[in-house]
Amino acid sequence: MTKPLLPLPAHHSVAIIGAGIAGLACGQVLASSGASVTLFDKARGPGGRMSSKRRPSATLDLGAQAFSVRDADFQRAVDEWIAVGCLAAWPTRTYQASSRGWQTHNDGQKRYVGAPRMSALARHMADSLTAMPNAELHTGTPIVALEPSPNGWLLLAADESRYGPYDQIVISAPPPQAHTLVNPWDDILAATCLTREQRACWAGWAIFEGPLPAIPGVAPEWQMARLDHTVLNIVSRNQTKPGRETQPESVSLLAQLDWSEAQLEQPAEVVAERLLSALKSVYPTAATIPKLMETGAHRWRYAQPSTPSEYDYLYSANGLALCGDSFRSGRVEDAWLSGHRLGEKLIGRSVQ
Ligand SMILES: Cc1cc2nc3c(=O)[nH]c(=O)nc-3n(C[C@H](O)[C@H](O)[C@H](O)COP(=O)(O)OP(=O)(O)OC[C@H]3O[C@@H](n4cnc5c(N)ncnc54)[C@H](O)[C@@H]3O)c2cc1C
């Protein structure tokens, strides 16, 4: 949006709805500049689509499995996270698989994963943020409405408690969820949310009693495979990720988007079973798949935007702003850049 925006004075208060990587990155810039920052997330912890499922025997990444870096600012952040130990390089052994066979697959991109689980990165960002005296995080707090007041914006939570007033509201929830909040107050932001259509994705998971069988010609320690299959898109082996080496065989099974959307209202158990059958179909028929300990599936109704967007974030002069991966191209790096750059814009550091 090209409309001039007055930078927030340092003492101003900002509420950020959504503590995924975009909201956390925005909060980091704002709190470091001296603004008073309060983050809200409806989930039990921060991380959003970079979340991990903790089971007694294993931890499985349910959203992003790994991410790449192109931007120099994001690379600097990544280097810091590697230095503190909440991020590590992964995967290095990837394959392209179908019922006709497996081939090594290397696109030359270096990728990273949170250590010892993907959600550790958001946890680290949230801990560094809330270690500042001017920042706090409320988890388990769905925000259901915004209300203007003479002293700024109030937030209404699902349990009917009110927070605020705040000078600035940043919403990093996916656009369909942001739409509900901005719709009564800003026609342009609301209309833009409607144009940012989202794709859904089912993410299955399974923990086995023993290792998956060897496949002729494939490294036994293979880490991730992209599948040429109508149901299953990506398989990744959580016990090959840094910090999880002692856990049993535990796979994340990301479904194809078209198939996910066709199965959107199916029960999770049915989806998990179909994703497992799809995995078995890319193994040689004689291979014995080990006994299953546990399985399940998580539905991401808003997994990724269906098209890239030409701007990093959106804001209006009335103190409402939107950020998140949907305002770029739907990757972890896009989410971080969107939140980071919106933060810089709000404190007047960016002229974009
Ligand atoms: C299955 C899957 C696989 C993926 N794989 C990759 C990959 O390989 N590489 C890659 O780079 N990216 C991948 N991504 C995309 C990546 O996960 C996202 O781009 C990134 O995590 C988005 O971050 P975000 O902060 O913009 O949004 P989110 O992480 O969605 O954060 C938004 C937050 O807002 C909260 N929220 C929503 N509404 C409210 C409300 N009303 N009140 C309070 N809180 C609210 C949510 O709980 C959530 O925590 C994948 C995503 C999925 C789902």
Side-chain angles (χ1 to χ4, degrees):
M1 208 153 267
T2 50
K3 227 188 258 179
L5 181 75
L6 293 178
L8 280 175
H11 61 274
H12 273 207
S13 58
V14 184
I16 301 180
I17 302 168
I21 192 165
L24 290 164
C26 187
Q28 185 74 42
V29 174
L30 294 172
S32 304
S33 81
S36 159
V37 174
T38 311
L39 284 115
F40 297 87
D41 204 291
K42 63 181 179 166
R44 268 180 301 166
R49 278 169 280 159
M50 295 175 77
S51 72
S52 310
K53 185 170 191 70
R54 292 170 88 164
R55 300 302 302 153
S57 60
T59 306
L60 304 105
D61 296 333
L62 286 187
Q65 299 297 310
F67 60 85
S68 53
V69 181
R70 292 169 179 80
D71 178 87
D73 287 339
F74 188 51
Q75 184 69 62
R76 269 188 288 281
V78 161
D79 291 342
E80 279 175 29
W81 297 329
I82 291 172
V84 298
C86 67
L87 195 73
W90 184 94
T92 52
R93 281 197 181 76
T94 54
Y95 283 81
Q96 187 82 40
S98 75
S99 53
R100 295 176 305 283
W102 292 52
Q103 286 89 41
T104 51
H105 173 76
N106 183 356
D107 62 8
Q109 280 276 344
K110 197 165 180 185
R111 288 187 170 77
Y112 302 90
V113 65
R117 56 190 164 273
M118 190 52 112
S119 60
L121 171 55
R123 172 57 61 194
H124 165 75
M125 291 173 78
D127 288 348
S128 328
L129 191 52
T130 53
M132 294 189 223
N134 53 330
E136 57 186 69
L137 167 64
H138 299 270
T139 52
T141 313
I143 300 301
V144 295
L146 310 180
E147 295 172 353
S149 82
N151 300 317
W153 289 99
L154 298 174
L155 302 188
L156 178 65
D159 66 0
E160 298 194 353
S161 38
R162 277 187 172 69
Y163 296 86
Y166 301 100
D167 302 304
Q168 174 74 48
I169 305 287
V170 169
I171 305 173
S172 68
Q177 294 167 323
H179 179 264
T180 313
L181 299 174
V182 296
N183 192 35
W185 313 116
D186 195 295
D187 291 345
I188 294 177
L189 295 190
T192 310
C193 285
L194 292 180
T195 65
R196 304 301 302 136
E197 202 181 301
Q198 304 292 303
R199 303 294 313 265
C201 181
W202 273 105
W205 55 274
I207 308 173
F208 297 99
E209 280 187 356
L212 284 168
I215 302 165
V218 176
E221 62 281 17
W222 66 272
Q223 297 165 323
M224 193 164 96
R226 281 190 180 278
L227 270 67
D228 178 9
H229 194 281
T230 50
V231 174
L232 189 52
N233 179 17
I234 289 174
V235 183
S236 78
R237 299 172 88 193
N238 290 276
Q239 83 283 2
T240 70
K241 294 184 170 183
R244 285 183 251 182
E245 295 83 355
T246 58
Q247 297 183 357
E249 181 81 63
S250 47
V251 291
S252 299
L253 304 166
L254 303 195
Q256 299 286 358
L257 302 184
D258 287 345
W259 184 84
S260 296
E261 286 166 356
Q263 313 296 319
L264 205 55
E265 305 306 331
Q266 288 288 343
E269 316 82 73
V270 172
V271 169
E273 203 178 293
R274 290 185 186 162
L275 289 171
L276 270 171
S277 316
L279 175 66
K280 287 174 192 163
S281 76
V282 294
Y283 271 83
T285 35
T288 309
I289 303 293
K291 201 165 164 220
L292 199 57
M293 284 167 72
E294 268 193 278
T295 184
H298 178 85
R299 179 179 59 191
W300 295 102
R301 199 177 276 281
Y302 308 120
Q304 62 179 69
S306 51
T307 52
S309 133
E310 73 279 17
Y311 33 73
D312 290 337
Y313 48 76
L314 280 180
Y315 58 82
S316 66
N318 62 7
L320 300 179
L322 306 177
C323 66
D325 69 336
S326 284
F327 294 97
R328 289 178 52 93
S329 258
R331 298 179 307 115
V332 168
E333 179 176 42
D334 293 312
W336 186 88
L337 282 170
S338 172
H340 179 81
R341 289 186 178 159
L342 174 61
E344 296 211 310
K345 181 71 189 177
L346 293 175
I347 61 169
R349 200 184 290 157
S350 160
V351 290
Q352 272 179 3

